[in-house]
Amino acid sequence: MKLRIGHGYDTHRLEADEGDNSGVHLGGVFIPCAYRIVAHSDGDAIIHALCDALLGALAGGDIGKLFPDHDPQFKGIDSRKLLAEVMRRVGAAGYGVVNADISLIAQVPRVSAHTAVMCERLAGDLGVARDCVNVKATTNEGMDAIGQKLGLAAHAVVLLQGR
């Protein structure tokens, strides 16, 4: 049995945003809030960490190499499209996802009401059952830049199995 483990990490700055459409994309879900993520793409740190974990398991580099933030074709892109390309590469390499475990570290927004939908969407994107994906969140208890609502971060761990 061929197994591979990958770990991914991503972080983005946050800015206050009181606009009508203010909010963030996390785990493939738009969450209305008084902040926006500063990023070249939609800034979905959960999916970015997941992509890096998948690529890491394949020894396939990282999303910065695959989708450079200076390339205009990725400006504002939905991160689920990036994940679809990463999953295409996972399949082409002869692997499938066994499970994924993701941690969001953020003071804002509060995501507990959204994690079930995140898990459902990500499970669909990864081609696995809902109970093979876990998304959880914690705060930094007001400490450092994340605790001061200046940013957020995500870690992801995935297990791949050869087909």
Side-chain angles (χ1 to χ4, degrees), residues 47 50-51 54 79-87 122 125:
I47 290 181
L50 181 58
C51 287
L54 292 162
S79 292
R80 291 179 77 196
K81 291 181 181 178
L82 306 180
L83 180 57
E85 171 58 20
V86 170
M87 284 304 298
L122 294 174
D125 293 343

Side-chain angles (χ1 to χ4, degrees), residues 16-84:
D17 184 358
E18 298 293 333
D20 291 339
N21 297 319
S22 64
V24 300
H25 286 92
L26 290 169
V29 176
F30 181 75
I31 302 169
C33 67
Y35 292 86
R36 72 176 193 86
I37 294 174
V38 179
H40 183 69
S41 67
D42 67 5
D44 190 327
I46 287 175
I47 290 181
H48 296 177
L50 181 58
C51 287
D52 268 350
L54 292 162
L55 290 167
L58 294 177
D62 59 54
I63 62 170
K65 286 183 186 173
L66 197 57
F67 312 110
D69 65 3
H70 54 79
D71 189 330
Q73 73 177 314
F74 304 119
K75 178 78 174 152
I77 194 168
D78 179 340
S79 292
R80 291 179 77 196
K81 291 181 181 178
L82 306 180
L83 180 57

Side-chain angles (χ1 to χ4, degrees), residues 81-158:
K81 291 181 181 178
L82 306 180
L83 180 57
E85 171 58 20
V86 170
M87 284 304 298
R88 187 195 66 73
R89 290 168 182 252
V90 168
Y95 286 89
V97 173
V98 175
N99 74 307
D101 185 32
I102 304 157
S103 297
L104 175 70
I105 304 97
Q107 208 67 35
V108 291
R110 297 293 185 162
V111 298
S112 61
H114 306 280
T115 57
V117 175
M118 290 178 191
C119 290
E120 288 172 21
R121 288 192 184 161
L122 294 174
D125 293 343
L126 297 175
V128 298
R130 160 61 188 89
D131 67 350
C132 294
V133 177
N134 187 52
V135 176
K136 56 196 175 299
T138 189
T139 69
N140 264 8
E141 301 292 333
M143 298 181 295
D144 73 20
I146 290 174
Q148 297 299 312
K149 303 177 186 174
L150 299 175
L152 51 74
H155 289 270
V157 177
V158 298

